[in-house]
Amino acid sequence: MKTPLKNVPIHTTRRSLLRGLAGLALTQLLSTLSACGGRGNGMGGMGTMNPTPLINPNLASARPLPIVPLATGTVDGTGTRRHSLSAQAGTSQLVSGVNTSTWGYNGALLGPALLLRQGEATALTVQNTLAETTTAHWHGLLVPADMDGGPHQEILAGSSWTAAFTVSNAPSTCWYHPHTHGATGRQVIQGLGGLLIIEDSASAQALLPHVWGVDDVALVFQDRRFNADGSIDYALTPADKGRGYQGDHLLVNGCHNPVWQAPQQWVRLRLLNACNARFLSLRLSNSATLHQIANEGGLLASPVARSSLMLAPGERAEVLVDLSGLSLGQSLSLNARSSGMMDSGSVEVSALFLSVSQAAQAGAITALPATLPATPTLSAPAGAIRRTFSLDSSMSGGMGGGMGSGGMGFTINGTPFNIARTDFSLTAGNTEVWTFTNTTGMGHPIHVHGVRMSLLSRNGAPVAAQEQGQRDTFVVDGNGSVDVVVQAPATASAMPFMLHCHILEHEDAGMMLQFVAA
């Protein structure tokens, strides 16, 4: 057995080596890099906190981009749209020529995009064929607490669970993934995850690309590292326990080094950062503009021109890209680099190659829409209740401190998660203002289940256009603060919702609270 690749500091020579070795077989690559040796120290013995360097692919050896299948479900005699998912084990080639044991929904890896319609009765059934307990959380969906799929809605091995609700979200891109108590990071890395595409009666007819898999393409970003035998390496290092798990291969739709055969026209990219912990900064290699049209909560009031955009784990964005001016046969890449506290020296890699190989389809849009039917931004009523949440760190030992003996722990309000404890209660239907203050030096993506949210301010300043509307996941910068308008669920329930960091290793180790609506 060859030595598995471990986290190593970034050096100029290593960057050159990684580029040159990108086309090698995985086992040869791992053997070569393990011989380079070296581990840095930093942040109180946690090991190097620099980003794990990503391997840069090349177009010559690129594989076709897997297109996420869109499942429309079936509508029964009661008018309920039904979807069925099976959590199952399988084998995938995440890296060309290497077989890896993975998990997926209705297949070996990831899952289909489930089409949901606003205002429609919906039932999602999940069968667990795995040998362990899991859950299926509908990340971003506004559903009752007992239908949320959090750690309280366990699906035991060999059993099934159905979530039934009426879709109340605006047209948007959400996703689903496990939220198993203490095991979310591992189960997501193993391959469980999928998209939720919410439409209304008019959204598909809007002046936006909407032919799924042709000019409307979903891109799910994840990073992983591998053992010498091709299996996924989820042996958490001290650095993983501090910053969260990072891999050296960046995958798009479960594929390392993909190429998309794109049409010569405006296209819509639905971007999901499904990494456990890596913050990603994305840009086009030809410096063309990314026109952001949506965030987690739905459409913005008008497209926002971006030279690049950053997505934290759990965040989504939709962008329009104009490929009409490129010649048939011309290629460019969607580049990615780590973006975060200690990532200034991170290497930019080609996450996805776009090869303009198809003529524009009939009916393709020819111009950027000036305005969009935006999801409304929430406002705070006079005298709204205010709550404060402190994102904290400590050097305490033991899992109660968050990260294991000798490691850095992360908590909310100084308290690690306890599944038997309700941390606070909201009045159903009320609107409050929450302030998140980050006392740590690293950014934390915060996800709140079951509520409507809009950002009021970031570090005391108005939020940028792309952060307006409604959100379900947002970053609190290191040593920064965010004020958020929060509308509690309309219906009271004794079942709790979660509030947590979406760096999954932080969530698993205790950076989470739970609350009820009463």
Side-chain angles (χ1 to χ4, degrees), residues 203 210 331 338:
S203 61
H210 60 269
S331 297
S338 290

Side-chain angles (χ1 to χ4, degrees), residues 42 112 173 212 401 412 454 472:
T173 300
W212 187 262
I412 302 177
S454 292
D472 60 62

Side-chain angles (χ1 to χ4, degrees), residues 22 55-57 63 94-96 248-252 254-258:
I55 295 170
N56 200 8
R63 297 185 290 158
L94 307 182
V95 177
S96 181
D248 56 356
H249 288 70
L250 184 60
L251 311 178
V252 182
C255 179
H256 181 254
N257 196 15

Side-chain angles (χ1 to χ4, degrees), residues 72-83 120-124 162-166:
T72 59
T74 59
V75 179
D76 66 17
T78 69
T80 299
R81 185 175 299 271
R82 296 186 176 275
H83 287 278
E120 189 171 57
T122 300
L124 309 177
T162 297
F165 53 88
T166 298

Side-chain angles (χ1 to χ4, degrees), residues 402-422:
M403 285 295 164
S405 180
M408 176 176 286
F410 294 102
T411 59
I412 302 177
N413 290 343
T415 304
F417 178 65
N418 183 338
I419 198 168
R421 182 191 68 234
T422 298

Side-chain angles (χ1 to χ4, degrees), residues 107-191:
L109 182 70
L110 297 175
L114 306 183
L115 179 66
L116 309 180
R117 295 196 182 279
Q118 186 182 41
E120 189 171 57
T122 300
L124 309 177
T125 297
V126 184
Q127 177 72 37
N128 180 11
T129 71
L130 303 171
E132 63 182 71
T133 297
T134 189
T135 80
H137 167 52
W138 320 115
H139 184 129
L141 285 191
L142 299 165
V143 298
D146 58 349
M147 300 298 163
D148 181 62
H152 293 277
Q153 287 84 56
E154 292 185 333
I155 313 172
L156 301 180
S159 65
S160 64
W161 171 70
T162 297
F165 53 88
T166 298
V167 179
S168 60
N169 291 65
S172 54
T173 300
C174 296
W175 66 303
Y176 57 96
H177 61 79
H179 209 301
T180 315
H181 184 38
T184 299
R186 178 177 56 80
Q187 292 190 353
V188 170
I189 280 295
Q190 199 60 35

Side-chain angles (χ1 to χ4, degrees), residues 346-516:
S346 64
V347 179
E348 185 177 72
V349 301
S350 301
L352 168 70
F353 296 101
L354 295 86
S355 178
V356 181
S357 58
Q358 305 177 53
Q361 59 182 333
I365 69 168
T366 57
L368 190 69
T371 61
L372 297 164
T375 304
T377 298
L378 302 177
S379 57
I385 292 173
R386 291 182 173 265
R387 298 180 191 270
T388 58
F389 300 91
S390 179
L391 311 180
D392 306 316
S393 64
S394 70
M395 298 302 294
S396 59
M399 288 304 288
M403 285 295 164
S405 180
M408 176 176 286
F410 294 102
T411 59
I412 302 177
N413 290 343
T415 304
F417 178 65
N418 183 338
I419 198 168
R421 182 191 68 234
T422 298
D423 294 285
F424 62 98
S425 177
L426 307 180
T427 299
N430 268 17
T431 299
E432 302 185 353
V433 176
W434 295 1
T435 297
F436 292 84
T437 301
N438 188 351
T439 69
T440 78
M442 68 182 296
H444 294 280
I446 296 299
H447 174 48
V448 186
H449 297 205
V451 302
R452 298 183 187 271
M453 298 190 299
S454 292
L455 305 193
L456 269 179
S457 65
R458 176 176 291 283
N459 302 322
V463 297
Q466 66 269 14
E467 291 210 275
Q468 295 175 12
Q470 294 182 28
R471 309 291 301 278
D472 60 62
T473 308
F474 58 89
V475 177
V476 186
D477 300 326
N479 301 310
S481 65
V482 176
D483 293 318
V484 187
V485 180
V486 178
Q487 186 180 84
T491 304
S493 171
M495 181 67 67
F497 285 111
M498 304 294 121
L499 181 163
H500 61 90
C501 176
H502 216 277
I503 293 175
L504 298 184
E505 287 65 43
H506 292 181
E507 171 194 323
D508 281 340
M511 199 173 188
M512 181 160 61
L513 300 178
Q514 57 185 356
F515 62 95
V516 296

